[in-house]
Amino acid sequence: EAVLLYRVHFGDMQFLHSMASRDGEEARFTKEKIMMWAEFTYKLAIGELDRGVELRKIGIPGMETLFKNRGWTAQQLFTRGDPTFRGGQDFRNFAFGSLTHIVEDSFSLSHVERDEPSGAKCPGVPEQDMPGKILSFHAYANQGKRKHADADKQKSLSIHFAESQPNVVDVGKVLKAYYEQKRPWEEVKEYLECLFELSDPEAKAGPGALFSAD
């Protein structure tokens, strides 16, 4: 469990916070891992994948590499040592929460640098507004801890609400509706592709100009 915690916050699983694994990682690779996890968690949430499925045998490209040396099931990953969320609906909600957490973090300035929204609609979901394109993902290793934390606080969130359309709550409502209606993954994928639209797929990650430890 300690190893997994390290991987999520400092190693190869920082994408769970919409962050790159290291400085220099190209945005397309970070997005690829985010979309992999989104497919995994959404399919768990709507019951298309069983919580007893072994992670390395799911059939979603990338998952077998991420957990190649462990025989963990989805349930063991999310509830290891804690039975609180092992009930059917509780577990599905927990999986959906992992997906929404990634999306929420993508709107934090210390995690992702986004362009301003242009007023455009999502290419694959024309009834939905498109947020600002992702200019780059940040990596945590060379960020100042206090600077990072300050960007996740209420004041920064309030500024985001005032300046962004759609904002993180708007986006969350759309995703919640998809989940409640058990819409197929391919529909949800189109919307997530819009939320994580890259300005430059080869943009390299770093601490971010405002968040460097220097």
Side-chain angles (χ1 to χ4, degrees), residues 131-196:
K133 289 183 180 182
I134 291 176
L135 300 176
S136 66
F137 291 100
H138 297 325
Y140 185 71
N142 292 308
Q143 286 189 336
K145 292 182 180 179
R146 184 182 295 276
K147 292 178 182 179
H148 178 100
D150 285 346
D152 285 339
K153 290 180 179 177
Q154 184 63 42
K155 181 179 179 181
S156 295
L157 189 61
S158 298
I159 294 172
H160 161 70
F161 285 146
E163 296 182 348
S164 297
Q165 185 66 37
N167 60 44
V168 67
V169 171
D170 299 324
V171 167
K173 287 178 179 177
V174 175
L175 288 172
K176 184 171 182 284
Y178 278 127
Y179 173 43
E180 291 175 342
Q181 296 166 20
K182 293 190 174 181
R183 305 305 302 168
W185 161 247
E186 290 304 321
E187 287 187 25
V188 180
K189 181 182 178 182
E190 289 280 2
Y191 185 55
L192 289 169
E193 288 283 359
C194 174
L195 299 184
F196 288 94

Side-chain angles (χ1 to χ4, degrees), residues 113-135:
E113 182 182 359
R114 285 185 181 269
D115 201 352
E116 296 177 358
S118 67
K121 297 291 185 179
C122 289
V125 194
E127 68 273 19
Q128 301 297 341
D129 294 323
M130 184 178 186
K133 289 183 180 182
I134 291 176
L135 300 176

Side-chain angles (χ1 to χ4, degrees), residues 9-73:
H9 289 91
F10 301 100
D12 64 328
M13 292 180 68
Q14 288 184 69
F15 66 87
L16 292 181
H17 296 291
S18 278
M19 299 190 78
S21 299
R22 55 177 176 77
D23 286 350
E25 181 174 277
E26 293 183 4
R28 60 194 173 107
F29 294 121
T30 309
K31 178 181 176 178
E32 187 178 272
K33 289 180 281 189
I34 288 170
M35 294 300 294
M36 170 199 72
W37 194 262
E39 180 177 0
F40 165 56
T41 51
Y42 186 75
K43 286 182 174 178
L44 280 174
I46 63 172
E48 190 172 324
L49 284 176
D50 185 82
R51 59 183 171 163
V53 68
E54 196 171 329
L55 297 172
R56 59 188 176 183
K57 298 179 181 178
I58 280 175
I60 297 173
M63 290 295 290
E64 74 284 355
T65 303
L66 201 62
F67 296 102
K68 60 185 176 182
N69 295 323
R70 298 179 182 272
W72 286 353
T73 64

